[in-house]
Amino acid sequence: MALTGGEALYADMGHIGRNPIRVAWFCFVLPALFLNYAGQIAHFIDSPDLEANPFFKLAPDWSIYPLVGLATLATIIASQAIITGSFSMTRQAMQLGWFPGVRISQTSAEEYGQIYVPFVNWTMMVFTIALTVGFGSSDRLAGAYGTAVSTTMVLTTALLYRVMRDRWHWPVYQAGAVTVVLLAVDLAFFSANLLKISEGAGYR
């Protein structure tokens, strides 16, 4: 989640710039994540419970509903990052001739990255509803989510290799060495998450 949260921040780089993202990440997000995960580990060592959610076990019983509300808001923010990132990727794909032309609305006269793509927005809504109905429960959907995240990590590593070769002009052995190390982690995570597919919609 920390890695994908970082990717979501960078997906919005074209909207708010890199400096606000750096300040938010290093001054607030990273310390908060570190303290939260350290607290979860400490609590689990003190009282191991594989069935309970470690995030909610950190807090007293009276705070469960506020935490659920906070988690819901975090989900909304994360989904907004995905939507805006999809808009930006669609426009870039159109400019490169990799995607058919669709209508793009410029929503700001000052910020170039502030756009709205109706086709992408409605398509994502339809697929989101279909996935929700198809999987039927958050537990089954979590398995597919892990696979989707790990797939993104593998693709990001592959794209990084192209950047190292084409933009940074690294030699093959140097770019390959970095890619192999990253892929070793990514593919291990990806393979582990493939086992969760059996928990998906087809096995209800």
Side-chain angles (χ1 to χ4, degrees):
M1 289 299 293
L3 291 173
T4 53
E7 291 178 0
L9 284 174
Y10 283 101
D12 274 341
M13 184 177 293
H15 299 261
I16 60 177
R18 66 178 64 184
N19 288 331
I21 290 176
R22 286 174 174 169
V23 171
W25 176 257
F26 288 109
C27 296
F28 180 75
V29 179
L30 185 60
L33 285 172
F34 178 81
L35 290 174
N36 182 266
Y37 292 152
Q40 291 183 34
I41 294 171
H43 188 276
F44 182 79
I45 292 174
D46 182 61
S47 55
D49 186 359
L50 296 177
E51 299 298 325
N53 187 308
F55 174 75
F56 292 104
K57 290 289 288 183
L58 283 177
D61 293 339
W62 61 264
S63 64
I64 295 300
Y65 288 109
L67 282 178
V68 170
L70 179 63
T72 302
L73 290 176
T75 303
I76 294 172
I77 294 171
S79 66
Q80 182 60 38
I82 293 174
I83 293 171
T84 55
S86 299
F87 291 168
S88 298
M89 291 180 62
T90 300
R91 180 172 61 183
Q92 292 169 9
M94 288 173 55
Q95 292 171 342
L96 293 170
W98 297 348
F99 194 82
V102 295
R103 185 168 66 88
I104 297 179
S105 301
Q106 189 75 34
T107 58
S108 172
E110 291 80 22
E111 295 291 337
Y112 177 73
Q114 294 287 349
I115 60 175
Y116 172 67
V117 187
F119 172 79
V120 173
N121 192 71
W122 285 95
T123 301
M124 291 182 67
M125 185 198 74
V126 170
F127 277 110
T128 299
I129 294 174
L131 284 172
T132 302
V133 174
F135 280 91
S137 72
S138 58
D139 291 336
R140 294 188 177 94
L141 192 58
Y145 173 76
T147 305
V149 170
S150 58
T151 302
T152 302
M153 294 169 67
V154 172
L155 293 174
T156 302
T157 299
L159 292 172
L160 176 62
Y161 175 81
R162 297 309 311 168
V163 171
M164 289 187 292
R165 292 286 295 131
D166 298 340
R167 296 293 299 275
W168 300 346
H169 305 295
W170 286 15
V172 174
Y173 73 88
Q174 188 176 3
V178 174
T179 303
V180 166
V181 172
L182 294 176
L183 279 179
V185 178
D186 295 344
L187 290 177
F189 189 39
F190 177 75
S191 301
N193 276 279
L194 284 179
L195 300 176
K196 296 182 180 180
I197 295 297
S198 60
E199 302 174 6
Y203 293 84
R204 282 188 293 173

